[in-house]
Each structure stands twice: as C-alpha cells, then as structure tokens.
Amino acid sequence: MSDDGSMRMPGPSDVEQGVDRDTAQAPAVHHPRRVTSFRARRSTISDRQQAVWEARWPELGLLARTGDDPPVPLDTDAWFGRHAPLVLEIGCGTGTSTLAMAQAEPHLDVVAVEVYKRGLAQLLSAIDREGVGNIRLIRGDGVDVLTHMLAPGSLTGVRVFFPDPWPKARHHKRRLLQPDTVALIADRLRPGGVLHAATDHQGYAEQIAEVGDAEPRLTRIELDAPGLPISTARPETKYERKALAGPIVTELLWAKS
C-alpha cells in the first residue's frame, strides 16, 4: 500500500533477492508461485527510521510465513502480552489509518500487514513516538498471513483499505479480494466478526461487492449498524483530502454469521 492508502506491494523478487539486509534468508524449497496482488517496488528508509527499526522490530515485527514454511498460528496473547479481540489490516501502507484507529480502540489488538519496509518503518516510528502498545507488524503477503499464521475463528475484524485496483482487465486476476481470499477471511473471522473494505475504484468496488455477497458465511451490513465489534470510522487519508473532487470512495461491510 502506498502513502495515499492504496496497496502497492513489491514483487517476489524484492524479497528473494534480499533487498534488505535484515530480512535476507537462505533459499528454501519453493512451491509454484501463485498470482499475487502486489507490484514490484524498491524502497529505502531514513537513518532515523533504520535506528528505530533495529530497536523495535525484534519486539513488534515478524516476517510472514509462506508456503515454504510449516504453518504455525500466531500466539497473539504472548505477542501482545494480553488477551484481546484481534483485528487484521491487510496492506497498511504508512499506517495513518492503522495508528489512528488503534489509538481510538485501545481494547483491540491490531496486526498490520505490509510488504514494503518503508511503510512499515514509518508506522513503526509513529508507534514508537506515540507510545502505542496495541499494534504489531508483519512484513509480507496478507494471504500468506491468513493462510499460515492465523487460526480459524481467531479474528474479530479484517480491514482492507484501498487495495490495488489493477484496472486493466488482463490484470483483474491480481486483485486481492477474489472469492478464494474472501472465503479465507470468512474462515478466519469469528462469528460476528466483520470484513471492512474501502476502494475508490468503481469497477473494483462492484467486484468486491459481488464477491463478498456471494460468500455464504458473510452478510452485508451497514457501516453504522449497531453492536459492531470494531469501529468503522476510518480516518480520511491525505490522498482523499487531495482528491475530494475526484473518485468516490465506496465502503463495504460484512459480518460473519
């Protein structure tokens, strides 16, 4: 996800080639690569961000497990040091919404997933500066996290804000919110848990609505429905403020029955 809130993730080659010295790993046995929803991109961070990364990442960050690793569900009680409802945000970008919503809901634990180190470093620096204690970070693909790191029924909420729309028809298969992924999200949600999606691309909004409505375990509800387990008050991003006269943002919400 980029600074404007859109998910813009690097391609597999960035991770495999060891772009960041602190995340380079020895080659493993590789399974056939699935189609992913992210773009290739390299990014750098400032010296100050690197210092915060080195100091705080071992405590607050993890690399996503992949198909090359045995699945091991996260022990979030141990990671956060408490038992609390868990929210997953896929594609947190620089974490503007992540930070604000976590501050507004200190009773929730938030796991923010992003591939770009730069975005995670900006969020990590903000967490350190603001003293926020209920956010943890995972670097990698959100589908890998759902598949290999989260147990069925473990999530109270999943947030997907401004995923890459991949507007060209031949690229639609790369969109994140496909039937298989929505089914996986539904499996990881507890009964009553919610999926909250937002996009400013009309075509993608229509696809997300169709896919979400077709998932039998999910029921479409209003953003202001009573008794929701998490807030749907998403902060307006800098990108949205710049584009007030531009694309309309569509927000969609489902609850697991």
Side-chain angles (χ1 to χ4, degrees):
M1 185 181 284
S2 65
D3 294 358
D4 64 10
S6 304
M7 187 164 69
R8 302 287 190 269
M9 293 176 165
S13 61
D14 284 343
V15 177
E16 290 170 4
Q17 291 175 6
V19 171
D20 298 308
R21 62 180 182 276
D22 51 317
T23 59
Q25 300 181 17
V29 176
H30 292 289
H31 300 287
R33 184 171 292 123
R34 61 178 174 78
V35 175
T36 58
S37 62
F38 37 84
R39 302 171 187 264
R41 174 182 291 183
R42 294 172 182 265
S43 59
T44 59
I45 66 175
S46 69
D47 290 344
R48 177 173 177 78
Q49 288 170 341
Q50 181 65 36
V52 173
W53 184 281
E54 291 173 358
R56 301 303 306 275
W57 181 261
E59 171 194 359
L60 302 180
L62 290 173
L63 288 177
R65 302 185 75 82
T66 71
D68 299 326
D69 305 315
V72 179
L74 283 171
D75 184 349
T76 53
D77 287 4
W79 201 14
F80 285 90
R82 66 174 185 173
H83 180 71
L86 187 65
V87 175
L88 178 72
E89 183 176 353
I90 301 176
C92 65
T94 59
T96 300
S97 296
T98 312
L99 185 72
M101 297 179 87
Q103 288 175 309
E105 299 175 298
H107 62 288
L108 300 179
D109 288 340
V110 178
V111 173
V113 181
E114 178 59 68
V115 169
Y116 285 127
K117 182 176 179 179
R118 182 177 181 181
L120 289 171
Q122 289 181 254
L123 176 54
L124 189 62
S125 293
I127 291 169
D128 185 66
R129 181 177 63 251
E130 300 291 332
V132 178
N134 62 328
I135 303 175
R136 299 293 184 269
L137 311 176
I138 297 179
R139 188 179 186 198
D141 184 353
V143 175
D144 283 336
V145 174
L146 286 163
T147 303
H148 303 291
M149 302 180 74
L150 293 168
S154 60
L155 296 173
T156 294
V158 175
R159 290 169 173 150
V160 185
F161 297 154
F162 302 100
D164 195 321
W166 291 99
K168 295 180 180 180
R170 68 177 183 273
H171 292 153
H172 285 183
K173 63 185 178 181
R174 291 186 173 274
R175 289 175 170 175
L176 174 66
L177 293 175
Q178 306 282 357
D180 287 350
T181 305
V182 172
L184 182 58
I185 289 171
D187 180 73
R188 292 335 190 224
L189 286 171
R190 67 167 179 80
V194 298
L195 166 61
H196 182 190
T199 180
D200 62 355
H201 187 279
Q202 184 59 36
Y204 198 8
E206 293 170 359
Q207 177 184 324
I208 294 170
E210 180 180 349
V211 171
D213 290 344
E215 169 51 51
R217 291 167 290 182
L218 299 180
T219 301
R220 180 95 73 93
I221 57 176
E222 298 296 325
L223 288 176
D224 58 356
L228 294 177
I230 65 173
S231 172
T232 58
R234 181 184 54 80
E236 184 180 71
T237 65
K238 180 170 63 176
Y239 167 74
E240 288 178 88
R241 289 193 296 272
K242 288 181 178 179
L244 286 179
I248 296 173
V249 174
T250 300
E251 303 209 39
L252 299 158
L253 190 71
W254 290 269
K256 182 176 179 179
S257 55

